[in-house]
Amino acid sequence: MGCFAAYSIIGSLSVAFFVQALADDQALLRKLGASANSILIQPCLFYNRDGGDLITFDYSKGGAAFELAVEYAKDNIIPENVIIDIRYFNLGHSCEEKDTSVHQALRVWMADEQCDVYIGPGCTEAVEHLYDIADYFKTPLIAMTGAGVGAKGDLKAYPYLSRISVTHTMTSRIILKFLRLFSYSNVVFLTDLASSFNVDLYNVLLRTLRQQGSTSLMALKFPTFSSLPGVLEDYTQNLTFSLLRDASLSARVIFLFMRGPIVRDFLVRIRYNFLGKLPFTGLKMSSF
């Protein structure tokens, strides 16, 4: 009898919550000027902004493109009876705290607010952690970035994930095809550990090379450094010179996995110290 009463209470509460949610949706539809027959979809955008070039998707830079895409979808793709009401959540200027997006998603849930789809955040680490919430609630997650998601696991484990970025696996395969096409065997990959995007690409590339057995066929080197003081060693112009000098001793191709301003430093150093003196090709890998 006690169990029956408990189940009855839970059932009544569930019905009450459903009715309240339905009433809230109808009230919001009226507020938005839509008819009662309209379908309301409330995406939750978790974004980072003003993070400089350390964040792969910075809303301060890419927000306009996102808003234009939303308006285009509303005008040309989404049926007229579907109302899109995006809710915005600022996760700050840094993606280093991997649990920030999770905390925000849980706060939204505890406030009994609705998220029909998650969008964002600005770096792969945050995407992977937010996906745990999306998977638990069986809610789609559209990743602004996330090229490195699944780097250490099977992508089949992410059924609710949709990515708009070119994956690191695809980029790694293109790099390998490029090397084989021109018969390059002595290659150096210079990687800046200050950028999570490049670190993810570095890890996925290593995995792809090992899976395809290319590490035994090529003389590959993977030196790393950090352009942020205090991480490994201070990033200086002397370090730029020494990295290029060491790489040029054997490499015919040098890949630069690093942020835009750092790439410029390397190209300037190549221009004044190495151009025309050493037979190597410099290639830059960028997130956009």
Side-chain angles (χ1 to χ4, degrees), residues 124-125 147-149 151 168 195-205:
T124 295
E125 294 94 331
V149 170
H168 288 330
S195 169
S196 62
F197 177 91
N198 292 297
V199 172
D200 291 336
L201 177 57
Y202 168 84
N203 290 327
V204 174
L205 176 64

Side-chain angles (χ1 to χ4, degrees), residues 181-210:
L181 177 64
F182 293 97
S183 300
Y184 288 127
S185 58
N186 296 290
V187 185
V188 169
F189 299 90
L190 280 173
T191 304
D192 182 4
L193 300 180
S195 169
S196 62
F197 177 91
N198 292 297
V199 172
D200 291 336
L201 177 57
Y202 168 84
N203 290 327
V204 174
L205 176 64
L206 280 176
R207 186 196 64 179
T208 303
L209 290 170
R210 292 191 183 104

Side-chain angles (χ1 to χ4, degrees), residues 239-251:
L239 176 60
T240 304
F241 177 82
S242 63
L243 286 169
L244 287 172
R245 181 196 58 202
D246 294 344
S248 65
L249 294 177
S250 60

Side-chain angles (χ1 to χ4, degrees), residues 48-257:
N48 298 91
R49 71 183 314 164
D50 301 327
D53 55 1
L54 290 177
I55 297 178
T56 306
F57 180 82
D58 191 319
Y59 189 81
S60 296
K61 300 177 181 179
F66 172 78
E67 299 299 338
L68 285 173
V70 172
E71 291 303 316
Y72 178 86
K74 289 180 178 178
D75 295 339
N76 300 279
I77 301 175
I78 299 172
E80 293 183 357
N81 67 319
V82 176
I83 306 300
I84 304 295
D85 180 38
I86 299 179
R87 308 173 62 224
Y88 296 80
F89 301 94
N90 188 349
L91 300 181
H93 65 275
S94 173
C95 255
E96 297 302 319
E97 296 181 7
K98 300 179 181 180
D99 56 355
T100 303
S101 58
V102 174
H103 289 169
Q104 183 62 66
L106 289 175
R107 282 194 290 266
V108 173
W109 173 72
M110 293 178 66
D112 199 27
E113 299 178 355
Q114 180 174 331
C115 282
D116 296 311
V117 57
Y118 297 110
I119 304 175
C123 60
T124 295
E125 294 94 331
V127 169
E128 287 194 300
H129 284 73
L130 181 59
Y131 183 82
D132 292 337
I133 300 295
D135 182 63
Y136 179 80
F137 290 117
K138 312 301 181 189
T139 301
L141 168 59
I142 301 175
M144 290 294 195
T145 177
V149 170
K152 298 180 180 179
D154 194 338
L155 280 178
K156 294 180 181 179
Y158 301 86
Y160 296 99
L161 177 66
S162 174
R163 295 182 291 180
I164 64 174
S165 55
V166 177
T167 67
H168 288 330
T169 300
M170 181 60 68
T171 302
S172 299
R173 290 172 180 170
I174 292 173
I175 291 174
L176 190 55
K177 287 183 178 180
F178 168 81
L179 297 177
R180 289 173 173 169
L181 177 64
F182 293 97
S183 300
Y184 288 127
S185 58
N186 296 290
V187 185
V188 169
F189 299 90
L190 280 173
T191 304
D192 182 4
L193 300 180
S195 169
S196 62
F197 177 91
N198 292 297
V199 172
D200 291 336
L201 177 57
Y202 168 84
N203 290 327
V204 174
L205 176 64
L206 280 176
R207 186 196 64 179
T208 303
L209 290 170
R210 292 191 183 104
Q211 287 178 343
Q212 299 194 16
S214 300
T215 51
S216 60
L217 302 177
M218 300 178 181
L220 306 178
K221 296 181 179 179
F222 301 88
T224 60
F225 71 100
S226 175
S227 60
L228 291 181
V231 179
L232 286 181
E233 56 182 306
D234 290 349
Y235 169 72
T236 64
Q237 293 299 323
N238 290 333
L239 176 60
T240 304
F241 177 82
S242 63
L243 286 169
L244 287 172
R245 181 196 58 202
D246 294 344
S248 65
L249 294 177
S250 60
R252 289 297 304 246
V253 180
I254 298 177
F255 284 84
L256 306 180
F257 292 172

